[in-house]
Amino acid sequence: MTVPVLTPGALAFAGQRLTAYRHFWRSSLISSVLEPALFLASMGLTLGILVDRGPGLPGGVSYLSFLAPGLLAAAAMQTGSFESTYPVLGAIKWDKTYDAVLATPTRVPDLLVGQLLYVAFRVTTSAALFLAVLVLFGAADSWLVVLAVPAALLTGMAFAAPITAYAATLDNDSGFAAVQRFLIIPMFLFSGTFFPVSQLPAVFEWIAYVTPLWHGVSLARGLALGTIDLGAGLLHVGYLALWIAGGVLLARWAYRRRLLT
Amino acid sequence: MSAETLELASPPQPGSLLLRVFPLYPLSARRAGYLVQRNFLVAKRTWVLFVSGFFEPFFYLLSIGVGIGGLVGDVVTDTGTSLTYQQFVAPALLASSAMNGAIYDAVHNLYFKLRYSKLYDAVLATPLSAPDAAVGETTWALLRGASYSAAFLVIMAILGLVESWWAVLALPAAILIGFAFAAAGLAATTFLRSWQDFEFVQLAVLPMFLFSTTFYPLSTYPEPLQWVVRCTPLYHGIELIRNLVTGEVGWSLLGNAVYLLVMGLIGLAIGARRLSGLLLK
């Protein structure tokens, strides 16, 4: 059993994806950067006035500083997920990019690694831009906030890898709407982005702890507020890495089954 | 697309000028009904997605109402009433989900049918005309939106978030919001050139969702911004539903309703005309 690795073929395929991205990078800025920035302005700044005036957050953290790193991680989840849905199924089924590339010396594992590399690029650049917005809003409390970008990368890939595997098994796009409505949106709303999960009833609190987004949000928030300790940090990183590794293995299986028969 | 083509395509109607401007209601109701029936048959096949539409506003209510509500405490509205945060947010979520649902139907579904599945090319081969298709699609979007809104109102009542019997009128109000946005969405869709352009629709809808007094009262803003917010259609939708649900009913609500009605009629007039142009050229 071969583990997918970085090969010249994988790099070449990532390059192909980037070339395609040049055609729509402007509109992608709207969903990856402007949308979280609008949430930050509406909820962080304005709703923040009400929160900070009301009972507020434990530890006296301002709502803006609390929300911003959470949104950074949640935006990474959304970019990582989206780039692993339509683009993957499209390359398999509609524009048949994968078939075209397989007619060259590039092999199936190269396609997977190249695809994930491209998603990693998208998540990292979006997170870096959003970090700039966050600093402009004055929401950064600690220099460690810079490390929220790699935290976002881990979060984004923890979604990208398993969703890539899922996309490679689908026949049409209706499954993506279900993923969006039953996984992505509930996690966006309940995994600690907008409020501490301790506000939830106990059962839902425990469900939240299992979601990769909660670990991504906690990691990014701990770094941005400068409150993280090493043990908790390693736990979050390890848990996210587990999702990535599992997702890559599943995706490898799904790609072979779909593209080699 | 010239006026002559339109005349040829749809049977001549006993028309006043008004009918020429709004060449729709209710003459083609039966023919448009066939398109509604067709959409219903499709929805039966993808019922999971249809049902999942009920959950989204409910998730938002739980997350924002309960979760953030615990951080915010009570809110004083612009009319001076003190509400719990859940009571404050729930009617606004009803209004925004009516907007979102209508936009989704009118923009995403319509665009797909128009450009990819060529549904309307098939429809026009039958006695249905392009305006029939526009009326049929809008009716379908409204029926679907009305079912979601009704379910959400019931949930609000069960959670004790409804203050007054006027809330019964929140359902027609939600349908009116759906009408205004579905018609505007219909008009907007005829201008879209590619999937990437959807981002621009999102660019209009998301700021409204976030800034039109959904999450906090108008008084949180500085005065000039308050006037900007007052111009947005969603603000009028939220005012309408929030005041009905809390029972603070006054004549000003008619103004909110008229705003939405006019927006819908203008959207429909533009949308139906542009759609005829796109389909018959």
Side-chain angles (χ1 to χ4, degrees):
Chain A
M1 174 159 144
T2 53
V3 174
V5 285
L6 201 57
T7 58
L11 283 175
F13 183 63
Q16 186 277 337
R17 298 262 94 171
L18 279 180
T19 311
Y21 179 60
R22 278 170 54 191
H23 288 287
F24 54 88
W25 67 273
R26 280 182 201 85
S27 58
S28 82
L29 287 186
I30 295 178
S31 53
S32 311
V33 181
L34 194 63
E35 282 185 15
L38 287 172
F39 266 92
L40 198 57
S42 167
M43 310 200 82
L45 281 181
T46 320
L47 185 63
I49 298 173
L50 297 187
V51 172
D52 297 339
R53 206 191 278 154
L57 286 155
V61 181
S62 85
Y63 190 61
L64 182 66
S65 312
F66 175 86
L67 181 66
L71 279 175
L72 180 69
M77 164 182 80
Q78 275 168 336
T79 305
S81 310
F82 179 78
E83 290 289 349
S84 310
T85 54
Y86 289 91
V88 170
L89 186 56
I92 290 174
K93 203 180 160 181
W94 298 319
D95 8 291
K96 307 218 185 278
T97 320
Y98 285 174
D99 285 349
V101 174
L102 285 176
T104 73
T106 310
R107 300 276 58 94
V108 170
D110 300 334
L111 289 179
L112 176 58
V113 177
Q115 169 70 33
L116 291 174
L117 267 183
Y118 161 73
V119 177
F121 166 83
R122 285 277 291 114
V123 173
T124 310
T125 46
S126 305
L129 282 172
F130 188 59
L131 177 70
V133 174
L134 186 154
V135 172
L136 281 178
F137 273 80
D141 284 11
S142 154
W143 278 106
L144 285 176
V145 75
V146 180
L147 291 177
V149 174
L153 174 62
L154 278 176
T155 314
M157 299 316 286
F159 286 90
I163 290 177
T164 301
Y166 176 64
T169 63
L170 289 180
D171 263 332
N172 63 57
D173 61 341
S174 64
F176 296 146
V179 167
Q180 177 74 12
R181 280 194 163 150
F182 291 114
L183 294 173
I184 305 295
I185 289 179
M187 276 194 237
F188 178 61
L189 290 172
F190 296 105
S191 287
T193 311
F194 293 105
F195 53 88
V197 291
S198 55
Q199 298 269 347
L200 291 169
V203 184
F204 293 101
E205 188 182 343
W206 280 100
I207 295 176
Y209 291 147
V210 181
T211 63
L213 185 60
W214 182 77
H215 292 271
V217 167
S218 306
L219 184 60
R221 182 172 291 144
L223 290 165
L225 297 174
T227 54
I228 199 153
D229 65 75
L230 190 64
L234 287 177
L235 179 79
H236 297 317
V237 171
Y239 189 72
L240 292 170
L242 216 58
W243 275 90
I244 298 174
V248 168
L249 288 178
L250 278 175
R252 176 179 161 275
W253 169 80
Y255 267 48
R256 296 193 101 129
R257 203 181 65 136
R258 185 73 177 256
L259 297 166
L260 289 182
T261 47
Chain B
M1 160 68 201
S2 63
E4 287 80 18
T5 355
L6 187 67
E7 293 294 331
L8 282 176
S10 52
Q13 290 161 357
S16 62
L17 181 63
L18 195 67
L19 266 175
R20 292 284 296 271
V21 177
F22 304 113
L24 302 167
Y25 292 120
L27 298 171
S28 61
R30 207 191 50 185
R31 278 176 286 149
Y34 289 121
L35 195 71
V36 174
Q37 199 181 358
R38 181 254 168 214
N39 284 344
F40 177 70
L41 285 173
V42 174
K44 262 170 60 180
R45 270 190 22 211
T46 54
W47 65 272
V48 175
L49 280 185
F50 189 88
V51 171
S52 73
F54 287 99
F55 287 96
E56 204 166 309
F58 183 53
F59 285 156
Y60 268 91
L61 179 62
L62 286 184
S63 168
I64 292 166
V66 179
I68 299 185
L71 308 176
V72 173
D74 288 355
V75 176
V76 180
T77 66
D78 296 312
T79 43
T81 329
S82 179
L83 298 173
T84 68
Y85 195 59
Q86 276 160 285
Q87 287 171 330
F88 180 79
V89 160
L93 289 175
L94 176 59
S96 355
S97 88
M99 168 184 82
N100 280 325
I103 289 283
Y104 185 83
D105 256 330
V107 180
H108 292 247
N109 288 349
L110 189 77
Y111 185 79
F112 182 77
K113 289 174 183 171
L114 195 60
R115 308 272 172 173
Y116 287 89
S117 73
K118 306 275 178 209
L119 176 74
Y120 301 116
D121 294 328
V123 165
L124 290 189
T126 72
L128 269 74
S129 67
D132 291 338
V135 175
E137 284 295 351
T138 313
T139 311
W140 167 248
L142 293 185
L143 285 175
R144 181 177 161 146
S147 60
Y148 291 158
S149 301
F152 192 74
L153 262 176
V154 170
I155 289 174
M156 280 171 62
I158 292 172
L159 293 178
L161 302 176
V162 171
E163 305 286 293
S164 141
W165 278 104
W166 283 103
V168 176
L169 287 181
L171 184 58
I175 297 173
L176 181 61
I177 296 171
F179 167 69
F181 282 97
L186 176 77
T189 307
T190 61
F191 289 95
L192 296 182
R193 295 153 306 171
S194 72
W195 290 105
Q196 267 87 50
D197 285 350
F198 283 81
E199 301 278 2
F200 298 109
V201 175
Q202 188 65 6
L203 205 55
V205 173
L206 186 72
M208 267 198 273
F209 172 59
L210 288 172
F211 296 103
S212 292
T213 69
T214 321
F215 301 119
Y216 35 80
L218 200 58
S219 57
T220 323
Y221 290 114
E223 183 72 23
L225 273 182
Q226 292 188 11
W227 282 102
V228 177
V229 173
R230 281 196 188 104
C231 294
T232 65
L234 185 61
Y235 167 76
H236 293 276
I238 291 176
E239 276 296 288
L240 200 54
I241 293 194
R242 188 174 276 147
N243 286 311
L244 285 170
V245 169
T246 54
E248 291 182 67
V249 176
W251 291 108
S252 69
L253 293 192
L254 277 181
N256 302 131
V258 167
Y259 180 109
L260 294 168
L261 190 67
V262 169
M263 170 179 159
L265 288 176
I266 293 175
L268 207 54
I270 297 175
R273 262 157 195 250
R274 295 258 322 159
L275 201 60
S276 307
L278 287 174
L279 288 170
L280 298 178
K281 74 174 167 215

